[in-house]
Amino acid sequence: MRIPELMERRRPFLSLEFFPPKEREAWPQFFDVAERLKELDPLFVSVTYGAGGGTQDNTLEIVRRLKRDMDMEPMAHLTCVGASAAKIEAFLEELRRADVHNVLALRGDPPKNNPDFDFSSGEFRHASDLASFIKERFPEMAVAVTGYPEPHVESPSIPEDLHWTKVKVQAGGDFLVTQLFFDNRLYFDFVERLRGMEVHAPVIPGVLPILSINSAKFILSLCGASIPGKFLSALESAHAEGGDEAVREVGLEYAVRQAQELIDNGAPGVHLYTLNKAEACLEIGSKLKI
Ligand code: FAD
């Protein structure tokens, strides 16, 4: 079923993001995690797509199995950077065949080994190109696009970032899923500014539980989100006093508080970046009042 219709039926909700494990041997464990997380009754589950190749078929196979074998409502991520229209179309055909009607339309990042990559060389330059392509060829698909409460690293200013976000929604985005962030004011400001620009699509906030100092550093270096100073010092003191276990506790407690505040103040739901970890997400789910 399409996510916009599901959102009309149930709010607030939790949704979950998974990434396809690279190694096949890890798949049984992955599906075990997904099975355990059914307990959270997610409205939908999304599966990331490797822009550099390698895991794209895995995305397809995983969404197929989540839908067919596990009765979950999946959304496939799809990046268009460097891809041909034929390749994108083939992927969408496969989704259609698998009865999956939700896709997150992304531009993606340049290949890691080519920092001077020329975006204008491909058939798709921006996520908005992909969103309009999907709407034209696959009108039954619900299309999600990204939102950046802290502007995207390539955006020269907040107004410019908001402008292109609006263009993306007008091109076919039915709803938005945000980049992770740790200060809820960023999300509420972002939504308010969009509403002021007559963009009324639902904006689902993405929440990442911090489970270790190293993973936090790694993830933040990838996406450009910032950690509020107070939270960072709480994590660092926890690490100094109690090691990784104490960091995990502080990180989980923060994620619960953050998600609860988002929901209590009008977010339609919360999209949890699971990092494919069941225990942490179950703990968050058990503490959230939804
Ligand atoms: P766009 O919306 O195209 O924006 C990129 C930049 O271009 C922004 O600065 C924007 O303001 C600007 N821009 C947009 N349109 C125009 C235009 N028409 N003219 C001029 N400038 C424009 N990456 C993966 O590889 N796989 C994944 O599965 C994945 N999942 C993600 C899920 C979420 C929720 C988020 C937030 C990100 C995800 N990413 C993923 C990362 C994403 O690919 C990168 O952030 C990428 O750099 C931007 O993709 P986008 O779709 O947001 O780009």
Side-chain angles (χ1 to χ4, degrees), residues 231-252:
F231 180 34
L232 184 60
S233 27
L235 289 167
E236 282 170 349
S237 337
H239 193 246
E241 285 159 26
D244 288 345
E245 192 45 42
V247 170
R248 185 178 181 279
E249 218 167 281
V250 170
L252 282 183

Side-chain angles (χ1 to χ4, degrees), residues 166-187:
K166 178 173 179 167
V167 168
K168 223 163 28 174
V169 172
Q170 287 173 328
D174 296 300
F175 63 101
L176 297 94
V177 182
T178 78
Q179 182 59 282
L180 60 97
F181 58 91
F182 296 97
D183 179 347
N184 286 347
R185 278 175 305 182
L186 295 167
Y187 168 81

Side-chain angles (χ1 to χ4, degrees), residues 100-197:
V100 172
H101 301 299
N102 300 293
V103 61
L104 174 58
L106 294 148
R107 182 197 71 182
D109 287 314
K112 284 201 179 61
N113 52 5
N114 186 2
D116 301 322
F117 183 81
D118 177 11
F119 282 102
S120 62
S121 63
E123 288 183 62
F124 301 90
R125 293 177 66 178
H126 304 287
S128 50
D129 301 330
L130 179 58
S132 58
F133 180 88
I134 300 171
K135 279 290 162 179
E136 198 187 306
R137 311 279 180 96
F138 297 82
E140 79 279 15
M141 288 275 173
V143 177
V145 290
T146 55
Y148 294 87
E150 287 173 90
H152 185 269
V153 285
E154 292 165 35
S155 293
S157 67
I158 294 177
E160 192 147 335
D161 192 272
L162 288 164
H163 168 76
W164 293 120
T165 303
K166 178 173 179 167
V167 168
K168 223 163 28 174
V169 172
Q170 287 173 328
D174 296 300
F175 63 101
L176 297 94
V177 182
T178 78
Q179 182 59 282
L180 60 97
F181 58 91
F182 296 97
D183 179 347
N184 286 347
R185 278 175 305 182
L186 295 167
Y187 168 81
F188 292 117
D189 284 353
F190 177 67
V191 175
E192 196 177 311
R193 286 181 165 135
L194 287 176
R195 302 303 181 235
M197 296 163 71

Side-chain angles (χ1 to χ4, degrees), residues 14-237:
L14 264 186
S15 57
L16 306 173
E17 179 170 310
F18 296 122
F19 62 87
K22 278 204 185 91
E23 314 299 339
R24 276 277 162 165
E25 305 83 74
W27 279 37
Q29 196 190 342
F30 168 79
F31 285 109
D32 182 49
V33 166
E35 183 63 43
R36 292 183 64 202
L37 289 178
K38 275 180 89 171
E39 193 182 314
L40 296 176
D41 194 17
L43 191 76
F44 67 92
V45 292
S46 83
V47 181
T48 64
Y49 183 93
T55 62
Q56 296 161 359
D57 288 343
N58 292 349
T59 303
L60 206 48
E61 192 172 336
I62 286 177
V63 294
R64 206 182 274 133
R65 286 170 63 172
L66 289 171
K67 173 92 186 185
R68 186 193 61 202
D69 304 338
M70 299 179 67
D71 200 24
M72 293 173 117
E73 201 53 68
M75 171 167 79
H77 295 204
L78 173 61
T79 64
C80 60
V81 59
S84 65
K87 185 177 174 210
I88 295 286
E89 185 147 13
F91 185 90
L92 292 161
E93 280 292 355
E94 287 298 327
L95 284 187
R96 181 184 265 167
R97 225 167 277 144
D99 208 20
V100 172
H101 301 299
N102 300 293
V103 61
L104 174 58
L106 294 148
R107 182 197 71 182
D109 287 314
K112 284 201 179 61
N113 52 5
N114 186 2
D116 301 322
F117 183 81
D118 177 11
F119 282 102
S120 62
S121 63
E123 288 183 62
F124 301 90
R125 293 177 66 178
H126 304 287
S128 50
D129 301 330
L130 179 58
S132 58
F133 180 88
I134 300 171
K135 279 290 162 179
E136 198 187 306
R137 311 279 180 96
F138 297 82
E140 79 279 15
M141 288 275 173
V143 177
V145 290
T146 55
Y148 294 87
E150 287 173 90
H152 185 269
V153 285
E154 292 165 35
S155 293
S157 67
I158 294 177
E160 192 147 335
D161 192 272
L162 288 164
H163 168 76
W164 293 120
T165 303
K166 178 173 179 167
V167 168
K168 223 163 28 174
V169 172
Q170 287 173 328
D174 296 300
F175 63 101
L176 297 94
V177 182
T178 78
Q179 182 59 282
L180 60 97
F181 58 91
F182 296 97
D183 179 347
N184 286 347
R185 278 175 305 182
L186 295 167
Y187 168 81
F188 292 117
D189 284 353
F190 177 67
V191 175
E192 196 177 311
R193 286 181 165 135
L194 287 176
R195 302 303 181 235
M197 296 163 71
E198 297 300 323
V199 177
H200 296 292
V203 183
I204 308 175
V207 168
L208 172 83
I210 288 196
L211 303 177
S212 80
I213 295 266
N214 283 346
S215 88
K217 281 187 183 151
F218 175 67
I219 292 162
L220 297 177
S221 71
L222 289 182
C223 76
S226 58
I227 297 196
K230 262 190 179 169
F231 180 34
L232 184 60
S233 27
L235 289 167
E236 282 170 349
S237 337

